[in-house]
Amino acid sequence: MLLIHCPYCEMDRPELEFRYGGEAHIARPADPMATSDETWAEHLYFRSNPRGLHAERWRHISGCGRFFNCLRDTVSDRIVTTYKAGEARPEIDRGAA
Amino acid sequence: MKFSALSVFTQGLGGNQGWPEQWRSPEPKSAYDAIIVGAGGHGLATAYYMAKEHGMRNIAVLEKGWLGGGNTGRNTTIVRSNYLWEESEGIYEHAMKLWAGLAHELNYNVMYSPRGVMMLAHNIHDVQVFKRHVHANRLAGIDNEWLTAEQAKDFCPLLNIEKNIRYPVIGASLQRRGGTARHDAVAWGYARGADRLGVDIIQNCEVTGIRRDASGAVSGVETSKGFIATRRIGVVVAGNTSVVMAMAGVRMPLESYPLQALVSEPVKPMMPCVVMSNTVHAYMSQSDKGEMVIGAGTDAYTSYSQTGGLHIATHTLDAICELFPAVRRLRMLRSWGGIVDVTPDRSPIIGTTPVPGLFVNCGWGTGGFKATPGSGHVFADLVARGEPNAIAAPFTMDRFRTGRLIDEAAAAAVAH
């Protein structure tokens, strides 16, 4: 079970308090009517699914209830850092993890 | 050497010391007509049918570890074809028909045992969904029937149908032709069959890159044993599909999750069939060794760790203890995880890709074992001919652009 640091509560809490929210930093197309099928497919279904650092959303559902983002190594499952929603992905290479 | 009563007898006289190796361990040639990446059940079946039905003998299967060591050796061996949509019925039933004759076809005992797969309903929604499946399957000529709770208990006496548990059993659907097969034997049987037809199975040979020519078409693969030229590549690497396809610059509609299973200490035969429950998320069967084979769920997050959270497994055991009180005191011997590649609609992707010469068979998610023969059969056809046949055609990657999804979330909701 992961131990996840909520950047709002500023506490390390067990994974059971959180809900996974999928890959982070995926923006919905700004103009839906002008968006092609390819772009919609990319937005809805295609994911980077990396073997390495993954930026993902979590929600502290049994705590503050807020969404935040997390950088995790998908091979070791080690969490490198968590950061608040709206903040840019920290520039950390996998070697530093 | 062919397995027969006579060969078993004569080898027995010699203390079983004279059996030859079941397949060669060749060094890779500099070029092949086609290369299959991944020597799991699906990849080996693909190579076998390419050689047998399409006469392609100059082909190789590359495997980064040992054959059958990925999800083929990690699943819970369940075989069934009771999916909802016609497209799914087409491919899973194709596999089911091949299972029936597979041991004979391969001259290898894959221990296919159609002992029945029963899926439990615990609420009105389950009843409606499973009855819909029963009717859809029967319209397609696939056996599936509805049982009351009492009939379910007659079929599986271990089952607890008392009303005093958290989610009482109120009915079940039963596919009698469903059952189990010996997962390792499937990989070994296909490997032996393909090897005898001249296919090179190269283990400990990791693909590290896909080389393309000026036109964009594939021209070969970089591997840990050097460059191998080929004009056709079939990628069958389950949880690592996104990683391998990225080598050719192709993004996939996939996410990879750890899926766990566990087995108990072995006991005398007591579980006559496979029982699955989507709602309380548990399923169990008994192996011929006597172990209770129990499937747990996927972790919430994507991972390549080949392990999983303990709370996922204990959650499943809670449900198992309610449904089968007789096994409560059994101790679990082993648990393990595999990495499954899950598509948005829980149906596989079998098709061409934007890169000429590159084909992919993936997205079998939590339930690919049952499809092994059918998957290999249609993918062999695709790689050999360059275009999908009628069974494979609906499973293109293009369906995520057109919106023609094949939503099997209900049939595949339990990790199975």
Side-chain angles (χ1 to χ4, degrees):
Chain A
M1 188 181 301
L2 302 178
L3 196 59
I4 302 173
H5 182 82
C6 174
Y8 294 102
C9 302
E10 296 184 341
M11 279 191 287
D12 292 336
R13 306 297 295 170
E15 178 191 333
L16 290 180
E17 287 191 12
F18 299 84
R19 192 72 52 83
Y20 182 65
E23 188 173 350
H25 307 299
I26 296 176
R28 185 181 168 84
D31 184 358
M33 296 305 287
T35 300
S36 67
D37 289 352
E38 285 75 15
T39 307
W40 270 120
E42 175 69 26
H43 168 71
L44 290 170
Y45 303 126
F46 286 71
R47 295 292 177 264
S48 57
N49 196 25
R51 191 183 174 92
L53 277 189
H54 186 235
E56 60 198 19
R57 301 192 309 162
W58 285 86
R59 187 180 181 200
H60 197 179
I61 189 102
S62 300
C64 61
R66 300 186 72 171
F67 279 95
F68 60 93
N69 295 329
C70 170
L71 269 186
R72 183 175 53 87
D73 187 321
T74 60
V75 178
S76 65
D77 284 341
R78 184 175 163 187
I79 292 173
V80 178
T81 185
T82 56
Y83 51 103
K84 292 176 180 172
E87 292 179 5
R89 173 177 170 155
E91 290 190 20
I92 296 171
D93 64 31
R94 196 179 161 195
Chain B
M1 185 183 292
K2 196 169 161 59
F3 292 118
S4 65
L6 182 63
S7 69
V8 170
F9 179 72
T10 53
Q11 287 294 333
L13 289 179
N16 284 313
Q17 298 299 304
W19 291 107
E21 283 186 331
Q22 300 291 298
W23 51 81
R24 299 164 294 129
S25 296
E27 285 302 308
K29 291 190 250 177
S30 61
Y32 288 97
D33 293 341
I35 284 176
I36 302 299
V37 184
H42 291 235
L44 291 165
T46 302
Y48 172 78
Y49 291 116
M50 282 172 75
K52 177 164 180 279
E53 303 203 348
H54 302 277
M56 296 182 70
R57 304 295 168 96
N58 184 32
I59 61 179
V61 185
L62 307 185
E63 167 58 48
K64 76 171 175 182
W66 65 97
L67 71 83
N71 294 349
T72 299
R74 294 164 190 261
N75 65 80
T76 50
T77 78
I78 294 168
V79 173
R80 61 185 178 90
S81 66
N82 53 350
Y83 281 67
L84 179 62
W85 300 105
E86 287 175 8
E87 295 87 346
S88 315
E89 289 166 344
I91 191 154
Y92 290 108
E93 183 64 14
H94 182 51
M96 197 71 140
K97 293 205 164 78
L98 290 171
W99 277 117
L102 193 60
H104 192 74
E105 156 98 24
L106 296 175
N107 180 233
Y108 204 94
N109 187 1
V110 297
M111 297 166 73
Y112 168 53
S113 164
R115 59 184 68 179
V117 172
M118 197 158 71
M119 302 174 84
L120 304 179
H122 303 272
N123 54 45
I124 296 302
H125 177 72
D126 286 349
V127 173
Q128 291 169 339
V129 168
F130 286 143
K131 282 188 173 176
R132 187 180 176 203
H133 277 69
V134 167
H135 295 315
N137 289 158
R138 295 178 73 146
L139 281 171
I142 296 170
D143 76 302
N144 197 355
E145 59 195 272
W146 178 255
L147 304 181
T148 63
E150 290 72 25
Q151 288 170 323
K153 187 166 176 67
D154 281 346
F155 193 73
C156 181
L158 276 189
L159 186 64
N160 178 10
I161 58 167
E162 297 297 320
K163 304 289 185 222
N164 61 355
I165 63 175
R166 177 65 183 84
Y167 294 102
V169 176
I170 59 177
S173 71
L174 171 64
Q175 185 173 35
R176 292 182 190 272
R177 282 185 312 149
T180 58
R182 171 93 164 95
H183 52 356
D184 293 326
V186 176
W188 298 336
Y190 274 121
R192 173 172 169 269
D195 181 80
R196 285 156 68 107
L197 293 170
V199 175
D200 283 355
I201 300 165
I202 302 161
Q203 303 181 69
N204 298 309
C205 180
E206 181 175 2
V207 170
T208 55
I210 294 175
R211 201 182 283 183
R212 299 163 67 180
D213 64 19
S215 71
V218 299
S219 59
V221 290
E222 313 279 356
T223 76
S224 53
K225 295 191 175 188
F227 176 76
I228 308 172
T230 188
R231 306 300 295 185
R232 288 182 206 192
I233 302 172
V235 176
V236 201
V237 296
N240 282 301
T241 303
S242 295
V243 178
V244 173
M245 294 301 281
M247 296 173 189
V250 179
R251 270 170 69 84
M252 300 298 296
L254 293 171
E255 289 191 300
S256 297
Y257 294 91
L259 176 65
Q260 292 182 76
L262 53 168
V263 293
S264 74
E265 57 190 323
V267 290
K268 289 279 169 58
M270 62 192 288
M271 180 76 181
C273 59
V274 181
V275 174
M276 317 179 65
S277 168
N278 292 6
T279 297
V280 299
H281 208 294
Y283 59 103
M284 188 169 87
S285 63
Q286 189 170 18
S287 75
D288 291 337
K289 281 190 288 186
E291 304 154 325
M292 292 297 165
V293 182
I294 296 167
T298 55
D299 276 289
Y301 46 84
T302 64
S303 177
Y304 290 84
S305 62
Q306 286 196 322
T307 182
L310 189 59
H311 62 290
I312 304 286
T314 53
H315 176 73
T316 289
L317 292 179
D318 289 345
I320 291 286
C321 289
E322 285 254 285
L323 289 175
F324 306 103
V327 305
R328 277 185 179 181
R329 309 273 307 259
L330 284 185
R331 282 160 294 195
M332 293 296 132
L333 279 193
R334 300 189 303 280
S335 72
W336 63 90
I339 302 302
V340 298
D341 47 329
V342 178
T343 58
D345 62 358
R346 303 298 188 269
S347 287
I349 296 168
I350 309 166
T352 56
T353 69
V355 178
L358 183 65
F359 305 91
V360 67
N361 181 358
C362 66
W364 291 94
T366 57
F369 175 75
K370 66 176 77 67
T372 304
S375 160
H377 193 263
V378 300
F379 194 53
D381 197 51
L382 172 63
V383 178
R385 294 191 307 116
E387 58 184 53
N389 64 20
I391 295 174
F395 296 97
T396 68
M397 215 182 337
D398 197 44
R399 72 177 187 268
F400 297 100
R401 183 185 62 80
T402 63
R404 261 195 88 82
L405 304 185
I406 306 163
D407 182 1
E408 290 291 357
V414 66
H416 52 292

